[in-house]
Amino acid sequence: MKGDDLSQAQEAVSQRQWSLAERLLERYLREAQDSQDADNRWEAWQQLLVVVNAAGQEPRASLEYLETMLEEYMDDDARSAVILQRMAEVNEGLHRYERAVDIWNAYIGLGGLSAQQVLEGYRRLAAMQFSLRRFDAGEDTLQLCLALPLPDHDKIMCMYDLADQNMARERWQDVADLSQQMMDSDPDQNVRGMAGYLMADALEQLGKSSEALKQFELARDAYPNPSVIDNRIAHLRKKLKK
């Protein structure tokens, strides 16, 4: 019986009998086709992914199941979002950045995503593009994120990613401008500290040592690792005394 397979699979999971659970779940999914089983099927798929992961199988095994799930749920944006996010994360873990870019692009294109999901999708897509050294594409992705009709406060981590990438490319004025925009957007303490650090670093690189010192001092208590800033403050104080 289909229902028996599902309940027996759940029992096998509780006993950590992974191969038995996988066989029972696969059989259930082959046989439970009617729409009234829709929620149970989704639960079975989720359980199957947990089992494959718990059994220590290769991530590729998860990807095979996820590809099958995506075909089944292609008309269900909410469930497709869950599947695509998982697929992208597995591909990232396998360093398949090209594939991850394709998947994050598909994810962003889904309907019904929350603002937070859209923002996260843009950030993850840009991160993959930067990993592939496609710096202009990554920057364009973050600019699309910043163009979304949302308050700056919601888009603040896209600003941070863009500032961070500009820093890597030594575009110091852009870093300073984005950091200021972040600090004007009512960030939480952690983000305020990180934005303050970027601002101070950019100002120092622009030759504005006294302004940089002031920013480092302002950012110190909010920055996740104050000792890093202490070193920069000591260096700048010494430099300004010469």
Side-chain angles (χ1 to χ4, degrees), residues 189-239:
Q189 180 167 335
N190 192 47
V191 175
R192 180 175 293 281
M194 295 191 299
Y197 180 90
L198 290 179
M199 166 74 88
D201 204 351
L203 290 170
E204 184 177 356
Q205 299 297 332
L206 289 166
K208 300 176 179 179
S209 297
S210 57
E211 290 178 51
L213 175 59
K214 182 181 175 185
Q215 283 299 330
F216 276 128
E217 289 171 341
L218 287 170
R220 184 198 177 279
D221 291 339
Y223 192 67
N225 188 354
S227 63
V228 170
I229 290 194
D230 287 339
N231 290 334
R232 301 295 293 271
I233 289 171
H235 166 74
L236 278 169
R237 283 177 179 163
K238 189 174 177 182
K239 183 177 174 181

Side-chain angles (χ1 to χ4, degrees), residues 134-145:
R134 297 177 185 167
F135 300 118
D136 290 340
E139 187 172 332
D140 288 347
T141 295
L142 292 173
Q143 292 290 1
L144 287 171
C145 177

